[in-house]
Amino acid sequence: MVAFRTATEADVPDILTLMQDDALGATREGQDLEHYVAAFRAMVAEGNNHVIVGVRKARVIATYQITFISGLSLRAARRAQVETVRVASDLRGQGIGALMIADAEARARAAGCTLLQLTMNKSRTDSARFYQRLGFTPSHIGYKRDLT
């Protein structure tokens, strides 16, 4: 059993641990917790940007970010963007990710979204298979530009 809820500031250390718990995150995430707390506060203040955690037996075992975006394209479709999808490494392969995406879909529908979209690093081939099994299609090419 996993309960999904909106994250609180107290969850930020556990979320950071989940973000660091894979090959990519271990090299790109920092250790300065206050930096992440400040970012969390900014996200909360934005209103349409939410961090969700999955909890089992008082342990944060999963997380994702969902942002609701109003737009003009696709007949003025409102969409939900999902990012930072993580499951604790010792619990992967147990269906928690599918439950998490189902939670994201329910939240997106409740917010009036007609599209659920996400991006992922192209090196995550296992993740690509996972998302395709859940009905996502690799219909677009995404680009990122580092502004630092």
Side-chain angles (χ1 to χ4, degrees), residues 1-3 54-62 91 94-96 99:
M1 178 69 181
V2 180
V55 180
R56 178 189 283 168
K57 297 182 182 177
R59 176 185 171 201
V60 173
I61 62 167
L91 298 173
Q94 298 181 25
I96 296 166
L99 293 173

Side-chain angles (χ1 to χ4, degrees), residues 16-50:
L16 179 56
T17 297
L18 288 169
M19 290 169 34
Q20 295 168 333
D21 188 24
D22 69 24
L24 290 176
T27 61
R28 67 181 180 195
E29 300 302 336
Q31 298 296 322
D32 181 9
L33 184 60
E34 193 52 42
H35 178 74
Y36 291 93
V37 170
F40 180 84
R41 289 176 182 156
M43 292 169 67
V44 169
E46 290 173 3
N48 281 334
N49 200 347
H50 309 277

Side-chain angles (χ1 to χ4, degrees), residues 7 9 17 23 35 42-43 60 62 73 91 96 111 114 116 120 134-135 145:
E9 191 172 309
T17 297
H35 178 74
M43 292 169 67
V60 173
S73 67
L91 298 173
I96 296 166
T114 59
L116 184 63
M120 53 163 251
L134 294 180
R145 183 174 182 173

Side-chain angles (χ1 to χ4, degrees), residues 57-135:
K57 297 182 182 177
R59 176 185 171 201
V60 173
I61 62 167
T63 189
Y64 70 92
Q65 175 184 343
I66 188 166
T67 306
F68 303 118
I69 307 164
S70 297
L72 296 176
S73 67
L74 298 173
R75 297 184 178 163
R78 185 165 168 83
R79 64 196 67 216
Q81 175 76 27
V82 176
E83 296 284 340
T84 317
V85 177
R86 300 287 191 281
V87 174
S89 59
D90 63 316
L91 298 173
R92 292 179 191 148
Q94 298 181 25
I96 296 166
L99 293 173
M100 191 165 35
I101 296 301
D103 183 78
E105 183 176 333
R107 290 173 192 270
R109 288 180 186 280
C113 296
T114 59
L115 182 67
L116 184 63
Q117 63 187 30
L118 57 85
T119 62
M120 53 163 251
N121 188 291
K122 66 181 180 179
S123 70
R124 296 183 187 273
T125 55
D126 289 342
S127 296
R129 285 190 298 272
F130 165 74
Y131 292 125
Q132 288 179 38
R133 276 197 316 271
L134 294 180

